[in-house]
Amino acid sequence: MKTPGAASAPTDAARRRAIRAWCWYDWANSAFATSVSVAILPPFFASVAKGEGLAANVATAYWGYACAAGLLIAAFGGPILGSLADHLGARKRILFCCVVVGALMTAVIGLVPWAGWRGLLALFGVAFIAYAMANVLYDSLLPTVTGPEQVHRVSARGFAYGYIGGGILLALNLAWIMRPAMFHLASADFATRLSFVSVAVWWLGFSIPLFRDVPEPPPVHEPIPANKLMQAVLGRIWQTLLSLRRQPELFRFLIAFWLYSDGIGTVIKMSTIYGSELGIGTGSLIGALLMVQILAAPASIVFGRIGQRYDPRLAVAIGLGGYVVITMIGYFLSKPWHFWLLAGLVAMFQGGTQALSRSMFSRLVPRRQQGEMFGFYSVSEKLAGVVGPILFGVVAQLTGSGRLAVLTLLPFFIIGAWLLMTVDLEKGAERAGN
C-alpha cells in the first residue's frame, strides 16, 4: 500500500487514480450485495429450509431475523471500528481485514454442502457483518479522494460502478444456475454454490486498486499506548454523541436517514425471499434483479448530476416518493411480471437515493471525525435495517404471509422524506467547517 506523505500534495493524475480506485471497491463489494444478500442466497436458503421441513412464511421470518441480527452487531461495532481507525491511521488496513473475513466466509458457504439452513444463516451472518463493517471504512474514505465540489458525482459514480460490477457477475451466476450443462457443471445446486465462491474471489480481487491507490488518511489524534487505546476510543465515541447536540442539522439528517433507510434496506433484503414465498420462480427473481443492476447504473449517474446541480434533498425526496409507489405495488404482487415492474422502479431510485445520502452526510461531518462519524452513519443505517426486517418478519409470521408486512414500510418513506427537507445542508456544512 502506498501512502502519500503529508507534505506532498497529490497530482491531478493521482487524484483521478484514487477516485477510480475508490469506485472500484463498489464494483468489488456489490457482488456480495447482489449475488449473495439479495439474489441467490435468499431463495437458496428458502429451498434448503423447505427441504428440512420449515414452512415458507417461517423461513421468510427467520431470514429477516438473521439480517436484523447481523445489522445490529455491525451497528454497534461500526463507530468503535471507525474511531479505532481514526486513532491508528489504519482505515485501509482494517478494511482489508474485513474484506478477507467476508470473502472467506462467502466462499465457505459454497464449499460446505452439508450446512443446513442454520449453518447457512450463521455463515451469512459473519460474512454480512464483515461486509457492513468494511463499508463504514470505505464510505469514510470518500472525502479523502474528492472535495465538496465533486462529492455528489463521485459518490453516485461509485454506486454506478457497483451496479455494473454486481450485474456482470450476477449475469454470469444466473447463466450457470439456469444452464449448468452448458458450462459443464454437474447441477444447478453445484452452480449455485460455485456462484458463492466466485463472489468471494471477485470481492477480494477487485478491492486491490483501493488498497494500492487510495491514500491512507493520517491519524487525527495523538498516539495512545495500546493498553489505553480502547478507553480512548470509547471516550471519543461518547464525546461525538454529545457533540451532536451542537450540530442540529447533522442530527436531523441522521434521523431522516434512519427512517427512509429502514424502508430501502428492507426492500433490498426481503424482496427475493418474499417473491419466493409467493411462488415466483428463481429465474424471474434473479433475472429481474439483474435488470436492476443494468438500469440502476445510469440512473445513479443522473441522480448524482441532479444532486450536484440542484438540491440533493429534493432528488432524494423524489426517490422516496418512488418507493411509496413500489410499496403499494408490492402489496398486490402475485405474478412474475409484477416483480419485474417493481425491479424496474427500484432501479430508477435505489442507487441515487443512497449515493446522495452518503455525499450529503460527508458534507455535514467535520474532517477530524470522518471515521467515527461514518461509523454513526453506519449505525443509523444498520439500526434502521434491524427494525425493518424484524417488523417484516413478525408481521409475516403472525399473519401467515409477507403481504401485509410490505405496508409497514410506508411511514418510513413518507416521514423520512419530510424530515430530510427540513435539513439546511449549507448551514450544516458551514458548521462542520466544510
Side-chain angles (χ1 to χ4, degrees), residues 99-162:
V99 171
V100 170
V101 171
L104 180 62
M105 291 299 101
T106 302
V108 172
I109 291 175
L111 296 174
V112 183
W114 57 86
W117 66 265
R118 293 179 181 84
L120 288 177
L121 282 185
L123 290 169
F124 168 72
V126 175
F128 182 80
I129 291 167
Y131 162 82
M133 297 288 234
N135 274 354
V136 172
L137 301 169
Y138 166 64
D139 288 343
S140 74
L141 290 170
L142 175 58
T144 301
V145 299
T146 188
E149 70 283 352
Q150 287 190 321
V151 66
H152 298 307
R153 294 185 68 174
V154 172
S155 183
R157 181 178 166 187
F159 270 91
Y161 268 53

Side-chain angles (χ1 to χ4, degrees), residues 38-39 42-43 46 56 60 63 266-286 288-289 330 333-336 338-340 342 392 401-403 406:
V38 178
T60 299
W63 181 261
T266 305
V267 168
I268 294 171
K269 293 174 184 64
M270 303 304 294
S271 58
T272 49
I273 198 157
Y274 173 56
S276 296
E277 177 191 324
L278 297 180
I280 297 175
T282 301
S284 291
L285 293 174
I286 301 180
L289 291 171
L333 180 69
S334 61
K335 294 179 171 48
H338 294 164
F339 195 84
W340 284 87
L342 283 176
F392 198 104
S401 169
R403 196 174 297 279
V406 173

Side-chain angles (χ1 to χ4, degrees), residues 371-388:
E372 60 196 72
M373 289 306 296
F374 266 99
F376 281 102
Y377 178 82
S378 175
V379 165
S380 185
E381 183 180 25
K382 303 302 183 296
L383 287 179
V386 170
V387 174

Side-chain angles (χ1 to χ4, degrees), residues 388-434:
I390 285 179
L391 190 59
F392 198 104
V394 168
V395 174
Q397 199 166 6
L398 292 177
T399 63
S401 169
R403 196 174 297 279
L404 285 175
V406 173
L407 298 181
T408 63
L409 305 180
L410 282 173
F412 296 99
F413 295 129
I414 296 170
I415 300 173
W418 169 78
L419 189 57
L420 176 65
M421 294 304 294
T422 69
V423 176
D424 189 329
L425 292 177
E426 292 306 315
K427 182 185 292 184
E430 183 179 348
R431 191 184 296 271
N434 292 329

Side-chain angles (χ1 to χ4, degrees), residues 18 291 345 393 421:
M291 182 184 71
L345 292 173
M421 294 304 294

